[in-house]
Amino acid sequence: MRLLLAPMEGLLDADLRDVLTRACPYDWAVSEFVRVSGTLLPHRCYRRVSPELLSGGRTAAAVPVRLQLLGSDPSCLADNAANLVELAPPGVDLNFGCPAPTVNRHRGGAVLLDEPELLYRIAAAVRAAVPAGTPFTAKMRLGVADTSKAVECAQALAAGGVEGLVVHARTKLDGYRPPAHWLWVARIAEAVDIPVAANGEVWSEADWRRCRAESGVADVMLGRGAVADPFLARRLRAHGGAGDCAIDRDAEWAELQPLLALYWRRAHERLRAPHSPGRLKQWLNLLRRNYPQAEHLFRDVRAVRRPAEIDAALVRHGIAAATLPLAA
């Protein structure tokens, strides 16, 4: 099996990728998307989204990060892919999964799943620009409003040269509402001759087992489940999903504390002061699904706006700035 770390615009950025891949081994991660719209982007645009490109395309824990492109113009996407490969990324990925209205209004992401022929042209154009030996993959949902074109879209991407496909098992209209329709992943996997990975609603070992059983695929991409449970992938590796293992959340929280401190420092260094507290709160909001300590910390910082107040709250909860590991 392969475990992949999902791209999540506005949440799973390079800072969070860094700490999550320190916590768990992933086969690869995918960056947030780079929007391609009519121009040839300079290299700094790719490095801004994936600063791992400055370190061989890998996180500090040596997990490769494939860079994701989003757009609807085959020629422009191909030109930008050719420009991107000059930076030697560990892989190039195409986004046909983003359900955000702003992105979709500009003909990007999941809205293109109503046009399988366009998906084929995009994939074929980018395939011609990405050299053999550089992994070329895509992520898609099951459709826009329904699943009627799901198989056709997957076949179009495979015919266009995509070497692997991640299927988020919901439509654009579904957004992130449960359930994920893993049986549709099985139908897609049967219809294409490329590896398929399942994505969506895997929050626990039990979810992972059901996902694999219903989808029939071995590979799973973790998104919000990995953010809410940073050691989930490690437990899956250790136990093979044979059964739910006893989880010592107190021990995990102790291990998570320096990673929280590192994440906070990175966010504070990279973002303007008014925005950095929101990033930490966003992660804590998901962590509190599994960690009572995160619930207490979240309540303490929920109304906080100033970084200095975040620092003080972390110290109150035993996460001292003095324990911060040096940045890699």
Side-chain angles (χ1 to χ4, degrees), residues 248-250 253 284 287-299 317:
D248 187 340
R249 291 297 190 188
D250 290 337
W253 180 254
L284 289 171
L287 286 173
R288 64 191 182 134
R289 291 175 61 112
N290 295 300
Y291 301 95
Q293 301 92 331
E295 173 70 30
H296 300 320
L297 178 54
F298 179 77
R299 289 178 182 177
H317 288 263

Side-chain angles (χ1 to χ4, degrees), residues 159-178:
V162 165
E163 300 168 345
L165 188 62
V166 174
V167 179
H168 184 144
R170 287 181 275 226
T171 65
K172 165 186 147 40
L173 194 61
D174 290 334
Y176 294 96
R177 294 187 302 273

Side-chain angles (χ1 to χ4, degrees), residues 247-309:
I247 304 174
D248 187 340
R249 291 297 190 188
D250 290 337
E252 287 190 349
W253 180 254
E255 191 174 352
L256 188 55
Q257 285 182 330
L259 295 178
L260 274 165
L262 175 60
Y263 178 68
W264 166 240
R265 186 171 76 176
R266 292 275 176 82
H268 182 42
E269 289 173 348
R270 187 173 59 85
L271 300 172
R272 293 175 57 205
H275 303 299
S276 54
R279 283 299 211 187
L280 182 65
K281 294 178 201 178
Q282 191 177 33
W283 189 17
L284 289 171
N285 189 38
L286 279 164
L287 286 173
R288 64 191 182 134
R289 291 175 61 112
N290 295 300
Y291 301 95
Q293 301 92 331
E295 173 70 30
H296 300 320
L297 178 54
F298 179 77
R299 289 178 182 177
D300 201 5
V301 301
R302 189 169 191 171
V304 164
R305 296 178 180 272
R306 296 174 55 243
E309 294 174 291

Side-chain angles (χ1 to χ4, degrees), residues 27-210:
D27 290 275
W28 71 79
V30 179
S31 76
E32 316 97 291
F33 63 76
V34 172
R35 189 193 301 264
V36 174
S37 178
T39 59
L40 187 64
L41 298 172
H43 285 171
R44 67 176 180 274
C45 291
Y46 308 118
R47 294 190 183 109
R48 182 170 60 245
V49 170
S50 180
E52 296 94 346
L53 289 168
L54 297 169
S55 305
R58 294 174 178 267
T59 68
V63 173
V65 180
R66 300 182 181 184
L67 197 135
Q68 189 176 77
L69 301 177
L70 177 147
S72 59
D73 183 322
S75 177
C76 190
L77 280 163
D79 290 344
N80 277 275
N83 193 29
L84 167 61
V85 298
E86 293 176 2
L87 300 176
V92 176
D93 191 77
L94 296 176
N95 181 317
F96 302 108
C98 180
T102 301
V103 171
N104 295 165
R105 279 197 300 271
H106 292 87
R107 286 180 54 73
V111 74
L112 299 183
L113 295 168
D114 269 343
E115 305 176 61
E117 192 275 335
L118 176 59
L119 265 60
Y120 168 78
R121 290 193 289 116
I122 290 172
V126 176
R127 172 71 281 176
V130 175
T134 298
F136 175 46
T137 52
K139 187 179 183 190
M140 61 172 277
R141 284 180 174 249
L142 297 179
V144 179
D146 58 54
T147 58
S148 61
K149 296 181 180 179
V151 169
E152 187 180 358
C153 285
Q155 290 173 328
L157 290 169
V162 165
E163 300 168 345
L165 188 62
V166 174
V167 179
H168 184 144
R170 287 181 275 226
T171 65
K172 165 186 147 40
L173 194 61
D174 290 334
Y176 294 96
R177 294 187 302 273
H181 306 287
W182 296 322
L183 286 173
W184 268 101
V185 180
R187 293 169 186 161
I188 288 170
E190 290 174 0
V192 297
D193 293 326
I194 58 175
V196 173
N199 174 233
E201 290 302 305
V202 177
W203 298 91
S204 67
E205 290 127 296
D207 291 338
W208 178 80
R209 289 195 300 275
R210 286 195 299 271

